Amino acid sequence: MCADICLHDTGSGNPHAHIMLTMRPFDERGEWGAKQKKEYILDRDGNKIYDPKKRQFKCKSIPATDWNEQTKAEEWRAAWAQLCNQALEQNGHAERIDHRSYERQGIDQIPTVHLGVAASAMEKRGIRTGRGDLNREIEVTNQKLRQLKARISKLQDWLKEEAENTEPPTLADYIQGILSRKAQTGKPGYSQSLYNLKDAAKMLNFLQTNNIMDMAGLDEKFKSMIGEQLDIQGKLKPVERRLGTLKKHLEQADIYFKCKGKKPLTEAEQILFTTAKDYLKGVMNGKTTIPTKTWKEEYTNLTAERKTLNQRYLVL
């Protein structure tokens, strides 16, 4: 395989490489090999199928290499991660990279969107961008998810520890124990009995509202709340991803319409216009009219849905 590699590092904090690879192989003599080969289509009996219109046997083209298959990309990405981690370890860095997605790694975290050169430069100058704002919103959501996971883990450990007791206390014993601890570490300046009474009233209201009579009922309620929180988490992920996609659609559409009616265009504007035009062509699925109104409506609806989900999370 022939690789053409360009390394770019202008000192702006964005070192990167551009690597172009050939799909056609070289043979041992340094000459071009075949890019693809012909394979005949056979019937059930293993015989060639004749096409009377084309006056030849039916066939299909098969790539000469498997370099363009997704399995190879996975293989190369894994090898790249391994080499990076070796270099990081050799140079005394604690950081490690992983070529797999958060979902495949089992990490409950929403990935951020790629900023791109223009947005990165603007953010460094202190100018807020749409993609930057989206990444900040995603980070807030991820922080909530991390807090949720820590709370769940802590509560699960507590339930496990209590379940291992030979003579587990009753629900009333637990409540009394909690109130006693709060009484010892109450807020200064408060009447201790009044403070205790308010906490007891809150607990009683929670238990009555959820019809909890014993530890088994409390455990059942706890599990259902975990289930609802995880359900919210599952719904938030695709909403965040779609919002990121729509934001990019609308940004490119805005650039396209601004540049379309302006003449003459500067060289930078011409590049932005061409990039936006090619991008929109790739996402419109053959449609001739840019569905800006539809995208805006969907973005508004999803933003409202995200707000509702976050509010429900805070209630839980």
Side-chain angles (χ1 to χ4, degrees):
M1 179 186 286
C2 178
D4 181 30
I5 304 174
C6 292
L7 299 174
H8 290 171
D9 188 0
T10 60
S12 61
N14 183 34
H16 59 278
H18 297 267
I19 306 175
M20 293 189 293
L21 306 171
T22 56
M23 289 294 100
R24 180 178 294 192
F26 283 104
D27 60 21
E28 294 81 358
R29 299 183 302 276
E31 296 178 357
W32 287 109
K35 187 176 182 180
Q36 57 191 20
K37 58 183 179 181
K38 184 168 67 174
E39 185 177 278
Y40 288 104
I41 300 173
L42 307 177
D43 59 20
R44 292 180 180 179
D45 299 324
N47 300 316
K48 296 178 184 178
I49 302 172
Y50 186 75
D51 187 344
K53 289 184 178 180
K54 295 183 179 179
R55 297 182 180 180
Q56 63 182 25
F57 290 105
K58 291 184 178 180
C59 60
K60 58 183 178 180
S61 297
I62 305 294
T65 67
D66 61 355
W67 297 342
N68 209 28
E69 292 181 9
Q70 192 169 351
T71 53
K72 298 303 292 184
E74 174 74 12
E75 181 184 329
W76 293 334
R77 281 164 58 85
W80 168 248
Q82 184 180 0
L83 290 169
C84 279
N85 289 333
Q86 286 176 0
L88 287 167
E89 185 176 4
Q90 288 169 1
N91 288 277
H93 296 285
E95 295 86 355
R96 296 292 182 269
I97 71 168
D98 197 313
H99 70 288
R100 299 170 300 167
S101 65
Y102 286 152
E103 186 175 359
R104 287 173 59 193
Q105 293 179 60
I107 298 175
D108 293 325
Q109 185 167 315
I110 302 167
T112 53
V113 298
H114 179 62
L115 281 179
V117 178
S120 294
M122 291 172 70
E123 289 283 340
K124 285 177 182 177
R125 295 199 303 270
I127 303 171
R128 295 175 71 98
T129 63
R131 295 184 194 178
D133 287 341
L134 180 62
N135 279 343
R136 281 182 278 273
E137 290 170 6
I138 289 173
E139 181 51 41
V140 170
T141 302
N142 282 332
Q143 188 177 1
K144 290 179 180 178
L145 293 177
R146 286 192 291 270
Q147 291 171 349
L148 169 61
K149 195 170 183 179
R151 283 185 180 183
I152 289 174
S153 179
K154 187 177 179 181
L155 285 167
Q156 284 176 329
D157 289 343
W158 176 76
L159 284 173
K160 185 179 178 182
E161 182 183 335
E162 298 298 343
E164 290 172 352
N165 291 338
T166 53
E167 294 182 6
T170 63
L171 182 58
D173 293 331
Y174 278 123
I175 294 172
Q176 188 57 50
I178 292 169
L179 291 173
S180 297
R181 287 194 295 274
K182 281 183 173 288
Q184 294 167 10
T185 59
K187 293 180 181 178
Y190 273 74
S191 165
Q192 210 59 64
S193 59
L194 179 62
Y195 190 62
N196 219 22
L197 190 60
K198 286 182 178 179
D199 276 343
K202 287 179 183 178
M203 290 184 190
L204 182 60
N205 181 58
F206 175 80
L207 296 173
Q208 287 178 336
T209 301
N210 294 283
N211 196 27
I212 297 171
M213 309 296 292
D214 50 26
M215 284 302 294
L218 182 61
D219 185 41
E220 189 63 32
K221 176 61 180 177
F222 170 59
K223 287 177 180 175
S224 71
M225 290 175 73
I226 290 176
E228 191 172 351
Q229 286 171 323
L230 293 176
D231 182 57
I232 290 173
Q233 175 184 319
K235 289 177 180 177
L236 270 172
K237 286 183 179 181
V239 168
E240 295 283 9
R241 283 197 294 267
R242 182 58 180 164
L243 280 171
T245 301
L246 288 170
K247 201 150 200 168
K248 190 172 182 181
H249 289 359
L250 292 168
E251 285 174 353
Q252 294 301 313
D254 186 51
I255 292 170
Y256 174 80
F257 286 121
K258 281 181 179 178
C259 294
K260 185 181 179 182
K262 184 180 178 182
K263 290 186 180 180
L265 294 174
T266 64
E267 185 178 352
E269 288 171 335
Q270 184 62 52
I271 293 171
L272 287 171
F273 178 67
T274 304
T275 303
K277 186 177 179 181
D278 291 342
Y279 173 86
L280 293 169
K281 185 179 179 181
V283 300
M284 285 171 58
N285 299 321
K287 294 179 182 178
T288 54
T289 305
I290 300 173
T292 310
K293 185 179 178 181
T294 304
W295 288 341
K296 286 181 178 179
E297 288 176 355
E298 186 182 357
Y299 189 87
T300 301
N301 292 335
L302 286 175
T303 302
E305 183 180 348
R306 180 178 61 185
K307 184 178 179 181
T308 301
L309 289 169
N310 279 327
Q311 286 174 340
R312 181 57 192 155
Y313 166 83
L314 291 174
V315 169
L316 285 168

